[in-house]
Amino acid sequence: MDKKTTDIVCYLTWVGLIIAFVVGDREASKFHLNQSLVIWLASTVCGFVAVIPVLGTLVSIVGGIFCFICWFIGIIGAMQGTEKPVPVLGQIQLLK
């Protein structure tokens, strides 16, 4: 899988992220793999926070919208071939 395809596939779902990590061009796509991983983890955490009554639900909704916006920015960047970090979450480095 070439770099651009790997960049786009990693944003599609958790399965896409795993496929892109295993089959794709890991070294060239490290930036988008990392961003996608951070966005998916943040959205998962937002889902778990939703079980807390009232405040957790509010935080989950706002966090979910924020993660969706970050995901949208990330996938557009992948389609354009740019490596611009998403707001807040783009600063987190999980993959070295």
Side-chain angles (χ1 to χ4, degrees):
M1 204 179 325
D2 67 331
K3 179 188 178 332
K4 189 169 186 175
T5 305
T6 303
D7 291 347
I8 294 169
V9 168
C10 72
Y11 284 102
L12 297 180
T13 62
W14 275 104
V15 176
L17 177 63
I18 293 168
I19 290 170
F21 189 76
V22 173
V23 179
D25 186 1
R26 195 176 328 162
E27 281 305 310
S29 298
K30 193 181 298 185
F31 176 81
H32 286 289
L33 286 168
N34 183 69
Q35 275 203 156
S36 176
L37 177 63
V38 171
I39 292 168
W40 287 116
L41 287 175
S43 64
T44 302
V45 168
C46 287
F48 284 126
V49 170
V51 299
I52 301 171
V54 185
L55 184 60
T57 304
L58 180 64
V59 169
S60 176
I61 292 169
V62 172
I65 292 169
F66 177 73
C67 287
F68 175 77
I69 292 169
C70 288
W71 172 83
F72 189 75
I73 292 169
I75 199 164
I76 294 299
M79 288 179 191
Q80 292 175 345
T82 61
E83 292 188 354
K84 182 180 177 192
V86 296
V88 182
L89 300 176
Q91 310 306 319
I92 302 170
Q93 292 290 321
L94 296 179
L95 300 175
K96 300 290 176 184

Short mmCIF file of all heavy atoms in Angstrom, two decimals, residues 21-84:
data_model
loop_
_atom_site.label_atom_id
_atom_site.label_comp_id
_atom_site.label_asym_id
_atom_site.label_seq_id
_atom_site.Cartn_x
_atom_site.Cartn_y
_atom_site.Cartn_z
N PHE A 21 -1.50 -0.03 9.63
CA PHE A 21 -0.29 -0.22 10.43
C PHE A 21 0.44 -1.49 10.01
O PHE A 21 1.66 -1.52 9.92
CB PHE A 21 -0.64 -0.28 11.91
CG PHE A 21 0.56 -0.27 12.80
CD1 PHE A 21 1.26 0.89 13.03
CD2 PHE A 21 1.01 -1.44 13.41
CE1 PHE A 21 2.38 0.91 13.84
CE2 PHE A 21 2.12 -1.44 14.22
CZ PHE A 21 2.81 -0.25 14.44
N VAL A 22 -0.30 -2.55 9.72
CA VAL A 22 0.31 -3.84 9.40
C VAL A 22 0.75 -3.92 7.93
O VAL A 22 1.86 -4.35 7.63
CB VAL A 22 -0.66 -5.00 9.74
CG1 VAL A 22 -0.13 -6.32 9.26
CG2 VAL A 22 -0.93 -5.04 11.23
N VAL A 23 -0.12 -3.51 7.01
CA VAL A 23 0.12 -3.71 5.59
C VAL A 23 0.71 -2.47 4.92
O VAL A 23 1.43 -2.58 3.94
CB VAL A 23 -1.20 -4.12 4.88
CG1 VAL A 23 -0.98 -4.32 3.40
CG2 VAL A 23 -1.78 -5.36 5.51
N GLY A 24 0.42 -1.30 5.45
CA GLY A 24 0.78 -0.06 4.78
C GLY A 24 2.24 0.34 4.93
O GLY A 24 3.04 -0.34 5.57
N ASP A 25 2.55 1.47 4.34
CA ASP A 25 3.89 2.04 4.38
C ASP A 25 4.06 2.75 5.73
O ASP A 25 3.81 3.94 5.86
CB ASP A 25 4.07 3.03 3.22
CG ASP A 25 5.47 3.56 3.11
OD1 ASP A 25 6.33 3.15 3.92
OD2 ASP A 25 5.71 4.38 2.20
N ARG A 26 4.47 2.00 6.74
CA ARG A 26 4.49 2.47 8.12
C ARG A 26 5.45 3.64 8.34
O ARG A 26 5.12 4.59 9.04
CB ARG A 26 4.86 1.32 9.04
CG ARG A 26 4.57 1.61 10.47
CD ARG A 26 4.84 0.45 11.38
NE ARG A 26 4.61 -0.83 10.72
CZ ARG A 26 5.09 -1.97 11.17
NH1 ARG A 26 5.82 -2.01 12.23
NH2 ARG A 26 4.84 -3.10 10.53
N GLU A 27 6.62 3.60 7.78
CA GLU A 27 7.61 4.66 8.01
C GLU A 27 7.18 5.99 7.37
O GLU A 27 7.27 7.03 7.98
CB GLU A 27 8.98 4.24 7.49
CG GLU A 27 9.73 3.31 8.41
CD GLU A 27 9.88 3.87 9.82
OE1 GLU A 27 10.33 5.02 9.98
OE2 GLU A 27 9.54 3.14 10.76
N ALA A 28 6.69 5.94 6.15
CA ALA A 28 6.29 7.16 5.46
C ALA A 28 5.01 7.75 6.04
O ALA A 28 4.80 8.95 6.03
CB ALA A 28 6.12 6.89 3.97
N SER A 29 4.15 6.90 6.59
CA SER A 29 2.85 7.33 7.10
C SER A 29 2.80 7.45 8.61
O SER A 29 1.72 7.52 9.20
CB SER A 29 1.77 6.36 6.64
OG SER A 29 1.69 6.35 5.25
N LYS A 30 3.94 7.50 9.26
CA LYS A 30 3.98 7.52 10.72
C LYS A 30 3.17 8.68 11.31
O LYS A 30 2.49 8.54 12.31
CB LYS A 30 5.43 7.61 11.19
CG LYS A 30 5.59 7.34 12.67
CD LYS A 30 7.03 7.45 13.11
CE LYS A 30 7.88 6.44 12.41
NZ LYS A 30 9.25 6.42 12.88
N PHE A 31 3.24 9.85 10.67
CA PHE A 31 2.52 11.03 11.16
C PHE A 31 1.01 10.76 11.22
O PHE A 31 0.38 10.97 12.25
CB PHE A 31 2.81 12.24 10.27
CG PHE A 31 2.04 13.46 10.65
CD1 PHE A 31 2.48 14.26 11.68
CD2 PHE A 31 0.87 13.80 9.99
CE1 PHE A 31 1.77 15.39 12.06
CE2 PHE A 31 0.15 14.91 10.35
CZ PHE A 31 0.60 15.71 11.38
N HIS A 32 0.43 10.31 10.12
CA HIS A 32 -1.02 10.10 10.09
C HIS A 32 -1.43 8.87 10.90
O HIS A 32 -2.52 8.87 11.48
CB HIS A 32 -1.51 9.99 8.65
CG HIS A 32 -1.54 11.30 7.95
ND1 HIS A 32 -2.44 12.30 8.24
CD2 HIS A 32 -0.76 11.81 6.97
CE1 HIS A 32 -2.22 13.35 7.49
NE2 HIS A 32 -1.20 13.08 6.70
N LEU A 33 -0.60 7.86 10.97
CA LEU A 33 -0.90 6.71 11.83
C LEU A 33 -0.99 7.16 13.28
O LEU A 33 -1.90 6.75 14.01
CB LEU A 33 0.16 5.62 11.66
CG LEU A 33 0.10 4.80 10.39
CD1 LEU A 33 1.37 3.98 10.23
CD2 LEU A 33 -1.12 3.91 10.38
N ASN A 34 -0.06 7.99 13.72
CA ASN A 34 -0.05 8.49 15.09
C ASN A 34 -1.29 9.34 15.36
O ASN A 34 -1.96 9.17 16.37
CB ASN A 34 1.21 9.30 15.36
CG ASN A 34 1.27 9.76 16.79
OD1 ASN A 34 1.43 8.96 17.70
ND2 ASN A 34 1.11 11.05 17.01
N GLN A 35 -1.58 10.28 14.46
CA GLN A 35 -2.75 11.14 14.66
C GLN A 35 -4.04 10.34 14.70
O GLN A 35 -4.89 10.59 15.54
CB GLN A 35 -2.84 12.19 13.54
CG GLN A 35 -2.04 13.39 13.80
CD GLN A 35 -2.52 14.60 13.04
OE1 GLN A 35 -2.26 15.68 13.48
NE2 GLN A 35 -3.21 14.47 11.95
N SER A 36 -4.17 9.39 13.81
CA SER A 36 -5.37 8.58 13.77
C SER A 36 -5.51 7.77 15.07
O SER A 36 -6.60 7.69 15.64
CB SER A 36 -5.32 7.64 12.58
OG SER A 36 -6.42 6.77 12.58
N LEU A 37 -4.42 7.20 15.54
CA LEU A 37 -4.44 6.44 16.79
C LEU A 37 -4.88 7.32 17.95
O LEU A 37 -5.74 6.93 18.75
CB LEU A 37 -3.07 5.83 17.06
CG LEU A 37 -2.91 5.06 18.38
CD1 LEU A 37 -3.85 3.86 18.40
CD2 LEU A 37 -1.47 4.63 18.57
N VAL A 38 -4.35 8.51 18.05
CA VAL A 38 -4.69 9.42 19.14
C VAL A 38 -6.17 9.84 19.05
O VAL A 38 -6.87 9.87 20.07
CB VAL A 38 -3.76 10.67 19.13
CG1 VAL A 38 -4.25 11.72 20.10
CG2 VAL A 38 -2.34 10.26 19.46
N ILE A 39 -6.65 10.12 17.86
CA ILE A 39 -8.06 10.51 17.69
C ILE A 39 -8.99 9.36 18.06
O ILE A 39 -9.97 9.56 18.78
CB ILE A 39 -8.33 10.98 16.24
CG1 ILE A 39 -7.61 12.30 15.98
CG2 ILE A 39 -9.83 11.12 15.98
CD1 ILE A 39 -7.57 12.72 14.52
N TRP A 40 -8.68 8.15 17.61
CA TRP A 40 -9.52 7.00 17.95
C TRP A 40 -9.49 6.71 19.45
O TRP A 40 -10.52 6.37 20.03
CB TRP A 40 -9.12 5.76 17.15
CG TRP A 40 -9.52 5.84 15.71
CD1 TRP A 40 -8.69 5.87 14.63
CD2 TRP A 40 -10.84 5.92 15.18
NE1 TRP A 40 -9.42 5.98 13.48
CE2 TRP A 40 -10.74 6.01 13.78
CE3 TRP A 40 -12.10 5.94 15.76
CZ2 TRP A 40 -11.86 6.10 12.95
CZ3 TRP A 40 -13.21 6.03 14.93
CH2 TRP A 40 -13.08 6.11 13.55
N LEU A 41 -8.32 6.84 20.09
CA LEU A 41 -8.25 6.62 21.54
C LEU A 41 -9.05 7.68 22.29
O LEU A 41 -9.76 7.37 23.26
CB LEU A 41 -6.79 6.61 22.01
CG LEU A 41 -5.98 5.38 21.63
CD1 LEU A 41 -4.52 5.56 22.05
CD2 LEU A 41 -6.56 4.13 22.29
N ALA A 42 -8.94 8.94 21.87
CA ALA A 42 -9.69 10.02 22.51
C ALA A 42 -11.20 9.81 22.36
O ALA A 42 -11.95 10.02 23.32
CB ALA A 42 -9.28 11.37 21.93
N SER A 43 -11.63 9.37 21.20
CA SER A 43 -13.07 9.14 21.01
C SER A 43 -13.55 7.94 21.84
O SER A 43 -14.67 7.95 22.34
CB SER A 43 -13.40 8.95 19.53
OG SER A 43 -12.80 7.80 19.02
N THR A 44 -12.69 6.94 22.01
CA THR A 44 -13.04 5.80 22.86
C THR A 44 -13.17 6.23 24.32
O THR A 44 -14.10 5.83 25.01
CB THR A 44 -11.99 4.69 22.72
OG1 THR A 44 -11.91 4.30 21.34
CG2 THR A 44 -12.33 3.49 23.57
N VAL A 45 -12.25 7.07 24.77
CA VAL A 45 -12.32 7.59 26.14
C VAL A 45 -13.59 8.41 26.32
O VAL A 45 -14.26 8.29 27.36
CB VAL A 45 -11.06 8.43 26.47
CG1 VAL A 45 -11.24 9.20 27.76
CG2 VAL A 45 -9.84 7.53 26.56
N CYS A 46 -13.95 9.20 25.33
CA CYS A 46 -15.20 9.97 25.41
C CYS A 46 -16.40 9.05 25.53
O CYS A 46 -17.36 9.36 26.25
CB CYS A 46 -15.36 10.87 24.18
SG CYS A 46 -14.27 12.29 24.18
N GLY A 47 -16.36 7.94 24.86
CA GLY A 47 -17.44 6.97 24.97
C GLY A 47 -17.55 6.36 26.36
O GLY A 47 -18.65 6.16 26.88
N PHE A 48 -16.41 6.08 26.98
CA PHE A 48 -16.42 5.53 28.34
C PHE A 48 -16.86 6.56 29.37
O PHE A 48 -17.49 6.21 30.35
CB PHE A 48 -15.03 4.97 28.71
CG PHE A 48 -14.72 3.66 28.07
CD1 PHE A 48 -13.57 3.49 27.33
CD2 PHE A 48 -15.57 2.58 28.20
CE1 PHE A 48 -13.27 2.28 26.72
CE2 PHE A 48 -15.30 1.35 27.60
CZ PHE A 48 -14.14 1.21 26.86
N VAL A 49 -16.54 7.81 29.14
CA VAL A 49 -16.91 8.88 30.08
C VAL A 49 -18.43 9.07 30.09
O VAL A 49 -19.00 9.55 31.07
CB VAL A 49 -16.18 10.19 29.70
CG1 VAL A 49 -16.71 11.37 30.47
CG2 VAL A 49 -14.69 10.05 29.95
N ALA A 50 -19.10 8.67 29.04
CA ALA A 50 -20.55 8.86 28.91
C ALA A 50 -21.34 8.13 30.00
O ALA A 50 -22.48 8.50 30.27
CB ALA A 50 -21.01 8.41 27.54
N VAL A 51 -20.76 7.13 30.63
CA VAL A 51 -21.49 6.39 31.67
C VAL A 51 -21.63 7.19 32.96
O VAL A 51 -22.47 6.86 33.80
CB VAL A 51 -20.83 5.01 31.97
CG1 VAL A 51 -20.83 4.14 30.74
CG2 VAL A 51 -19.45 5.17 32.53
N ILE A 52 -20.85 8.25 33.11
CA ILE A 52 -20.97 9.11 34.29
C ILE A 52 -22.21 9.98 34.10
O ILE A 52 -22.36 10.64 33.07
CB ILE A 52 -19.72 10.00 34.46
CG1 ILE A 52 -18.47 9.13 34.60
CG2 ILE A 52 -19.87 10.93 35.66
CD1 ILE A 52 -17.18 9.90 34.55
N PRO A 53 -23.11 9.99 35.09
CA PRO A 53 -24.35 10.76 34.92
C PRO A 53 -24.10 12.27 34.69
O PRO A 53 -23.16 12.84 35.23
CB PRO A 53 -25.09 10.55 36.23
CG PRO A 53 -24.49 9.33 36.82
CD PRO A 53 -23.07 9.27 36.33
N VAL A 54 -24.93 12.89 33.95
CA VAL A 54 -25.01 14.31 33.63
C VAL A 54 -23.71 14.89 33.09
O VAL A 54 -23.57 15.12 31.90
CB VAL A 54 -25.54 15.15 34.82
CG1 VAL A 54 -25.73 16.60 34.39
CG2 VAL A 54 -26.83 14.58 35.36
N LEU A 55 -22.74 15.16 33.96
CA LEU A 55 -21.49 15.80 33.53
C LEU A 55 -20.74 14.91 32.53
O LEU A 55 -20.20 15.41 31.54
CB LEU A 55 -20.59 16.11 34.73
CG LEU A 55 -19.30 16.86 34.42
CD1 LEU A 55 -19.61 18.21 33.77
CD2 LEU A 55 -18.46 17.05 35.65
N GLY A 56 -20.71 13.62 32.77
CA GLY A 56 -20.04 12.70 31.86
C GLY A 56 -20.70 12.68 30.49
O GLY A 56 -20.03 12.63 29.46
N THR A 57 -22.02 12.76 30.48
CA THR A 57 -22.74 12.79 29.22
C THR A 57 -22.42 14.06 28.45
O THR A 57 -22.17 14.03 27.24
CB THR A 57 -24.26 12.70 29.47
OG1 THR A 57 -24.53 11.53 30.24
CG2 THR A 57 -25.03 12.66 28.17
N LEU A 58 -22.38 15.19 29.14
CA LEU A 58 -22.05 16.46 28.49
C LEU A 58 -20.63 16.45 27.95
O LEU A 58 -20.39 16.84 26.80
CB LEU A 58 -22.23 17.61 29.48
CG LEU A 58 -21.93 19.01 28.94
CD1 LEU A 58 -22.91 19.36 27.83
CD2 LEU A 58 -21.99 20.02 30.06
N VAL A 59 -19.69 15.99 28.76
CA VAL A 59 -18.29 15.90 28.33
C VAL A 59 -18.16 14.95 27.15
O VAL A 59 -17.43 15.21 26.19
CB VAL A 59 -17.38 15.45 29.50
CG1 VAL A 59 -15.98 15.10 29.02
CG2 VAL A 59 -17.31 16.54 30.56
N SER A 60 -18.90 13.86 27.19
CA SER A 60 -18.86 12.89 26.10
C SER A 60 -19.37 13.48 24.79
O SER A 60 -18.79 13.26 23.73
CB SER A 60 -19.68 11.66 26.48
OG SER A 60 -19.73 10.76 25.41
N ILE A 61 -20.46 14.24 24.86
CA ILE A 61 -21.01 14.85 23.65
C ILE A 61 -20.06 15.88 23.07
O ILE A 61 -19.75 15.86 21.87
CB ILE A 61 -22.39 15.48 23.95
CG1 ILE A 61 -23.40 14.37 24.24
CG2 ILE A 61 -22.86 16.35 22.78
CD1 ILE A 61 -24.72 14.87 24.79
N VAL A 62 -19.55 16.78 23.91
CA VAL A 62 -18.62 17.82 23.44
C VAL A 62 -17.33 17.17 22.94
O VAL A 62 -16.81 17.53 21.88
CB VAL A 62 -18.34 18.84 24.56
CG1 VAL A 62 -17.24 19.81 24.16
CG2 VAL A 62 -19.61 19.61 24.91
N GLY A 63 -16.82 16.19 23.69
CA GLY A 63 -15.60 15.49 23.28
C GLY A 63 -15.79 14.71 21.98
O GLY A 63 -14.90 14.67 21.14
N GLY A 64 -16.96 14.11 21.83
CA GLY A 64 -17.25 13.38 20.60
C GLY A 64 -17.30 14.29 19.38
O GLY A 64 -16.77 13.96 18.32
N ILE A 65 -17.90 15.46 19.54
CA ILE A 65 -17.93 16.44 18.45
C ILE A 65 -16.52 16.91 18.13
O ILE A 65 -16.14 17.03 16.96
CB ILE A 65 -18.87 17.61 18.80
CG1 ILE A 65 -20.32 17.12 18.86
CG2 ILE A 65 -18.72 18.76 17.80
CD1 ILE A 65 -21.29 18.11 19.44
N PHE A 66 -15.73 17.18 19.17
CA PHE A 66 -14.34 17.61 18.96
C PHE A 66 -13.54 16.53 18.24
O PHE A 66 -12.78 16.82 17.31
CB PHE A 66 -13.69 17.98 20.29
CG PHE A 66 -12.25 18.37 20.16
CD1 PHE A 66 -11.91 19.59 19.61
CD2 PHE A 66 -11.24 17.51 20.56
CE1 PHE A 66 -10.58 19.96 19.46
CE2 PHE A 66 -9.91 17.86 20.41
CZ PHE A 66 -9.58 19.09 19.86
N CYS A 67 -13.70 15.28 18.65
CA CYS A 67 -12.98 14.18 17.99
C CYS A 67 -13.41 14.03 16.54
O CYS A 67 -12.58 13.76 15.67
CB CYS A 67 -13.20 12.87 18.75
SG CYS A 67 -12.30 12.78 20.31
N PHE A 68 -14.70 14.23 16.27
CA PHE A 68 -15.18 14.16 14.89
C PHE A 68 -14.55 15.27 14.04
O PHE A 68 -14.13 15.01 12.91
CB PHE A 68 -16.71 14.25 14.81
CG PHE A 68 -17.21 14.30 13.40
CD1 PHE A 68 -17.26 13.13 12.65
CD2 PHE A 68 -17.62 15.49 12.83
CE1 PHE A 68 -17.72 13.16 11.34
CE2 PHE A 68 -18.07 15.53 11.52
CZ PHE A 68 -18.12 14.37 10.77
N ILE A 69 -14.46 16.46 14.59
CA ILE A 69 -13.84 17.58 13.86
C ILE A 69 -12.36 17.28 13.61
O ILE A 69 -11.85 17.50 12.50
CB ILE A 69 -14.03 18.90 14.63
CG1 ILE A 69 -15.51 19.29 14.60
CG2 ILE A 69 -13.16 20.02 14.04
CD1 ILE A 69 -15.88 20.42 15.54
N CYS A 70 -11.66 16.76 14.62
CA CYS A 70 -10.25 16.39 14.45
C CYS A 70 -10.10 15.29 13.41
O CYS A 70 -9.19 15.33 12.58
CB CYS A 70 -9.65 15.93 15.78
SG CYS A 70 -9.37 17.26 16.95
N TRP A 71 -11.00 14.29 13.44
CA TRP A 71 -10.97 13.22 12.45
C TRP A 71 -11.15 13.79 11.04
O TRP A 71 -10.43 13.42 10.12
CB TRP A 71 -12.07 12.21 12.76
CG TRP A 71 -12.24 11.18 11.69
CD1 TRP A 71 -11.51 10.04 11.53
CD2 TRP A 71 -13.18 11.20 10.62
NE1 TRP A 71 -11.96 9.36 10.42
CE2 TRP A 71 -12.97 10.06 9.85
CE3 TRP A 71 -14.18 12.10 10.25
CZ2 TRP A 71 -13.74 9.76 8.72
CZ3 TRP A 71 -14.93 11.81 9.13
CH2 TRP A 71 -14.71 10.66 8.38
N PHE A 72 -12.11 14.70 10.90
CA PHE A 72 -12.39 15.31 9.59
C PHE A 72 -11.17 16.09 9.09
O PHE A 72 -10.78 15.97 7.93
CB PHE A 72 -13.62 16.21 9.69
CG PHE A 72 -14.11 16.71 8.37
CD1 PHE A 72 -14.79 15.87 7.51
CD2 PHE A 72 -13.88 18.02 7.98
CE1 PHE A 72 -15.25 16.31 6.28
CE2 PHE A 72 -14.33 18.47 6.76
CZ PHE A 72 -15.01 17.62 5.90
N ILE A 73 -10.56 16.88 9.96
CA ILE A 73 -9.36 17.64 9.59
C ILE A 73 -8.23 16.68 9.19
O ILE A 73 -7.52 16.90 8.21
CB ILE A 73 -8.91 18.56 10.74
CG1 ILE A 73 -9.93 19.67 10.95
CG2 ILE A 73 -7.52 19.15 10.48
CD1 ILE A 73 -9.72 20.48 12.23
N GLY A 74 -8.08 15.60 9.96
CA GLY A 74 -7.03 14.63 9.69
C GLY A 74 -7.21 13.91 8.35
O GLY A 74 -6.26 13.77 7.59
N ILE A 75 -8.42 13.48 8.06
CA ILE A 75 -8.63 12.74 6.82
C ILE A 75 -8.53 13.67 5.61
O ILE A 75 -8.03 13.27 4.56
CB ILE A 75 -9.96 11.95 6.83
CG1 ILE A 75 -9.94 10.87 5.75
CG2 ILE A 75 -11.16 12.85 6.66
CD1 ILE A 75 -10.99 9.80 5.89
N ILE A 76 -8.94 14.92 5.75
CA ILE A 76 -8.76 15.88 4.65
C ILE A 76 -7.27 16.12 4.42
O ILE A 76 -6.81 16.15 3.28
CB ILE A 76 -9.49 17.21 4.96
CG1 ILE A 76 -11.00 17.00 5.00
CG2 ILE A 76 -9.12 18.29 3.95
CD1 ILE A 76 -11.62 16.51 3.71
N GLY A 77 -6.50 16.25 5.50
CA GLY A 77 -5.04 16.39 5.37
C GLY A 77 -4.41 15.19 4.69
O GLY A 77 -3.50 15.32 3.87
N ALA A 78 -4.89 14.00 5.03
CA ALA A 78 -4.36 12.78 4.41
C ALA A 78 -4.69 12.75 2.92
O ALA A 78 -3.85 12.36 2.11
CB ALA A 78 -4.93 11.54 5.11
N MET A 79 -5.89 13.18 2.56
CA MET A 79 -6.27 13.20 1.14
C MET A 79 -5.45 14.22 0.35
O MET A 79 -5.15 13.99 -0.81
CB MET A 79 -7.76 13.52 1.01
CG MET A 79 -8.67 12.42 1.41
SD MET A 79 -10.37 12.96 1.22
CE MET A 79 -11.23 11.66 2.06
N GLN A 80 -5.11 15.33 1.00
CA GLN A 80 -4.33 16.36 0.33
C GLN A 80 -2.83 16.08 0.37
O GLN A 80 -2.06 16.74 -0.30
CB GLN A 80 -4.60 17.73 0.97
CG GLN A 80 -5.99 18.22 0.74
CD GLN A 80 -6.28 19.52 1.47
OE1 GLN A 80 -5.55 19.91 2.37
NE2 GLN A 80 -7.35 20.18 1.08
N GLY A 81 -2.42 15.13 1.19
CA GLY A 81 -1.01 14.78 1.29
C GLY A 81 -0.21 15.70 2.19
O GLY A 81 1.00 15.76 2.10
N THR A 82 -0.89 16.42 3.09
CA THR A 82 -0.20 17.32 4.01
C THR A 82 -0.06 16.68 5.38
O THR A 82 -0.81 15.76 5.72
CB THR A 82 -0.95 18.66 4.16
OG1 THR A 82 -2.26 18.40 4.68
CG2 THR A 82 -1.06 19.38 2.83
N GLU A 83 0.86 17.18 6.17
CA GLU A 83 1.07 16.66 7.53
C GLU A 83 0.89 17.78 8.54
O GLU A 83 1.80 18.14 9.28
CB GLU A 83 2.46 16.03 7.65
CG GLU A 83 2.60 14.77 6.84
CD GLU A 83 3.90 14.04 7.10
OE1 GLU A 83 4.77 14.55 7.83
OE2 GLU A 83 4.04 12.93 6.56
N LYS A 84 -0.31 18.32 8.58
CA LYS A 84 -0.65 19.37 9.53
C LYS A 84 -1.34 18.75 10.74
O LYS A 84 -2.34 18.05 10.59
CB LYS A 84 -1.58 20.39 8.86
CG LYS A 84 -1.94 21.53 9.75
CD LYS A 84 -2.87 22.50 9.05
CE LYS A 84 -3.25 23.61 10.03
NZ LYS A 84 -4.37 24.39 9.51
#
